[in-house]
Amino acid sequence: MSQRVVSLSLGEVILKGKNRKSFIDTLMGQVKKSLHDISHGKIYQDTGKIYIDCNKEDQEKIIKRAQHIFGIVYLSPCIKIEKNIPSIEEGIREITRETLEENPEFKTFKGDTKRADKNFELNSMELNNIIGGQVLKNFPIKVDVYNPDFYIYMDIRREVYLYTKRFKGHGGLPLGTNGKGLLLLSGGIDSPVAGYMMAKRGVKIDGLHFHSFPFTSQRAEEKVVKLGEIISTYGGPMKIYSINLLPIQKEINKNCREDEMTLLSRRFMMRIAERISEKNGYNSIITGENLGQVASQTIDGLTVTNDITRRLIFRPLIGMDKVDIIDISKKIGTYETSILPFEDCCTVFLPKHPKLRPTIKEMEISEEKLDIESLVEAALNNAKIIEIS
Ligand code: ATP
Ligand code: MG
């Protein structure tokens, strides 16, 4: 039987010019790490794709695992064959036989050859003719060039690969190739999606969560940890800094206008995020904010929150519709956890009528009544760090 491999097609990574080699190396390292407990052979590159030698029965497991790695657009279970016509013909028969055993309903096919090795003796059209000839001679199915039941893909690289299945990866860029980001992670639908989207652009993510224990429950924290675990299946091991915002909320509640509660809390969250970033080398802060979703996310609301830090703030959901955010959260598997009914800190002191046109000046005036520095210090000193592996 022929050697089995899994092939990984790289998306934007291969367009990255001078960084290309380091991107591919990073990706290979991540593939290797993610497969640490699945048996496999050599992981190698062949003309712009990554291949993993393996047994047939491990192909599916490897694909499921590697599917979460950013930078990969397609994954295929392949057979690898020797680069000569008799082996190619035999390989075509083998992959077709297997595909038809798994899918007896298939009646039509089409050959699709890519010849990365331009020195190979036959060109793509001639190779497609070989596929057609072998299949028509040996199996009761027909060619359909417009709408085939399946494709027989053949890649002529340093070696020759044949496959009939392609699974979609998440695309994006390899993790860690775009710095470190601190994700403000609430228990809601939006922030996990925001984290996923930035991780997908190569940002290595840790979380920062604010709770209001004992006003919020232990289960609310467990929910956030669960969300962290799901995000980490894409973003790798992560930390969650968990901080009690209650002492700050109480001070705001005691000293400031009720309608400024949310915005002032938000500014404290940003201050704390800024301090943690400064100390731990996060070069971006990420939030799930979305323009116009609630009073604190109007242009004015975002302006006063934004004002706290000069650090780059990513708001990848800013222009999206809620239905589209929900679709992503379902796709990445955070939705069911996000809708569990445990409240995070924000709902505790929610003003009945939040301020609608806040200005930075007004915020600053209100904050004069608070000892900002010691409140932030105390919050940081009481931070708990949860490690998610
Ligand atoms: P989410 O699904 O993120 O909770 P939301 O619609 O509830 O979205 P808000 O509660 O207004 O949005 O919060 C906007 C953003 O502020 C969140 O996406 C998150 O990044 C941050 N944030 C809000 N509450 C918290 C919290 N308790 N801890 C950490 N970050 C928070
Ligand atoms: Mg929220």
Side-chain angles (χ1 to χ4, degrees):
M1 217 170 61
S2 46
Q3 168 70 52
R4 301 289 158 154
V5 291
V6 167
S7 73
L8 311 177
S9 310
L10 316 182
E12 283 172 62
V13 175
I14 51 172
L15 306 174
K16 287 285 165 193
K18 282 199 206 107
N19 288 333
R20 180 177 153 156
K21 183 173 175 338
S22 89
F23 274 51
I24 295 181
D25 287 346
T26 305
L27 203 53
M28 299 240 298
Q30 286 167 3
V31 170
K32 184 161 182 218
K33 227 176 179 170
S34 84
L35 300 181
H36 68 97
D37 58 348
I38 300 177
S39 91
H40 63 83
K42 198 170 57 163
I43 300 174
Y44 63 96
Q45 272 184 65
D46 183 351
T47 351
K49 278 198 190 187
I50 294 177
Y51 291 89
I52 304 148
D53 284 342
C54 61
N55 295 323
K56 185 171 196 283
E57 59 274 19
D58 293 317
Q59 278 177 319
E60 197 183 318
K61 264 186 274 175
I62 291 175
I63 287 173
K64 284 233 163 77
R65 189 68 67 77
Q67 215 160 15
H68 278 223
I69 300 172
F70 293 122
I72 299 170
V73 285
Y74 286 110
L75 308 90
S76 293
C78 314
I79 60 176
K80 177 163 67 175
I81 49 194
E82 279 175 39
K83 214 174 188 174
N84 58 58
I85 306 298
S87 305
I88 288 176
E89 289 176 341
E90 194 190 322
I92 292 166
R93 293 194 298 271
E94 183 176 341
I95 195 100
T96 308
R97 189 178 320 114
E98 273 176 20
T99 306
L100 292 177
E101 271 164 20
E102 275 174 40
N103 307 278
E105 72 285 8
F106 283 178
K107 296 283 175 271
T108 57
F109 75 100
K110 178 182 178 184
D112 183 342
T113 303
K114 294 250 154 29
R115 194 175 56 127
D117 172 8
K118 300 293 180 207
N119 294 323
F120 190 65
E121 55 193 288
L122 301 180
N123 65 27
S124 304
M125 212 169 69
E126 292 164 327
L127 286 159
N128 281 336
N129 287 341
I130 293 189
I131 297 179
Q134 283 302 311
V135 176
L136 293 174
K137 210 177 339 167
N138 294 286
F139 302 94
I141 57 176
K142 291 201 293 250
V143 176
D144 181 344
V145 290
Y146 299 109
N147 190 23
D149 291 332
F150 71 108
Y151 284 85
I152 300 173
Y153 299 101
M154 173 149 63
D155 281 4
I156 311 282
R157 295 171 185 265
R158 275 202 312 274
E159 318 217 37
V160 176
Y161 306 89
L162 279 164
Y163 54 101
T164 58
K165 280 186 270 191
R166 282 204 321 186
F167 298 94
K168 253 186 133 129
H170 287 262
L173 297 173
L175 217 57
T177 54
N178 265 324
K180 267 170 59 167
L182 185 63
L183 168 67
L184 271 76
L185 180 61
S186 67
I189 293 170
D190 301 334
S191 45
V193 173
Y196 161 82
M197 286 177 69
M198 295 320 297
K200 181 169 159 164
R201 296 313 297 169
V203 180
K204 179 82 191 77
I205 289 188
D206 285 325
L208 168 58
H209 175 67
F210 296 98
H211 60 84
S212 312
F213 193 77
F215 282 71
T216 54
S217 66
Q218 183 60 35
R219 302 198 46 198
E221 182 179 295
E222 285 161 18
K223 172 179 169 182
V224 170
V225 171
K226 176 80 196 146
L227 289 171
E229 283 168 1
I230 300 170
I231 297 170
S232 77
T233 64
Y234 303 95
M238 79 187 259
K239 278 193 197 94
I240 297 180
Y241 302 86
S242 175
I243 290 187
N244 195 340
L245 199 67
L246 187 60
I248 292 176
Q249 290 174 309
K250 281 182 170 165
E251 277 302 294
I252 299 174
N253 195 43
K254 199 163 83 194
N255 296 295
C256 307
R257 292 168 50 137
E258 193 223 5
D259 63 355
E260 291 177 348
M261 182 72 205
T262 310
L263 290 164
L264 292 171
S265 309
R266 272 292 139 75
R267 280 165 64 91
F268 271 97
M269 287 186 186
M270 273 299 168
R271 275 189 192 99
I272 292 168
E274 165 61 32
R275 295 296 171 87
I276 294 176
S277 299
E278 179 71 41
K279 189 155 172 252
N280 300 280
Y282 299 102
N283 37 27
S284 60
I285 292 172
I286 301 159
T287 79
E289 287 162 319
N290 174 247
L291 190 59
Q293 193 180 82
V294 287
S296 58
Q297 294 173 45
T298 57
I299 298 266
D300 295 322
L302 292 169
T303 301
V304 303
T305 317
N306 204 61
D307 175 59
I308 291 300
T309 174
R310 294 181 67 176
R311 198 170 299 275
L312 186 57
I313 303 179
F314 288 132
R315 300 181 174 91
L317 312 186
I318 196 69
M320 290 177 68
D321 287 348
K322 192 76 186 189
V323 285
D324 298 324
I325 300 172
I326 289 175
D327 278 351
I328 301 180
S329 81
K330 286 182 177 162
K331 181 181 108 185
I332 64 175
T334 51
Y335 182 73
E336 295 302 323
T337 307
S338 287
I339 58 174
L340 294 173
F342 312 118
E343 35 189 51
D344 63 33
C345 71
C346 292
T347 40
V348 177
F349 289 97
L350 219 53
K352 274 191 229 49
H353 302 287
K355 195 171 181 73
L356 281 183
R357 311 225 48 179
T359 63
I360 294 170
K361 194 83 209 124
E362 286 168 339
M363 296 291 118
E364 285 171 349
I365 291 169
S366 299
E367 283 167 351
E368 277 168 19
K369 299 171 200 139
L370 305 168
D371 184 349
I372 292 182
E373 199 42 46
S374 53
L375 286 170
V376 169
E377 270 306 305
L380 287 168
N381 288 336
N382 292 318
K384 183 169 96 179
I385 297 180
I386 303 162
E387 300 276 354
I388 295 174
S389 55

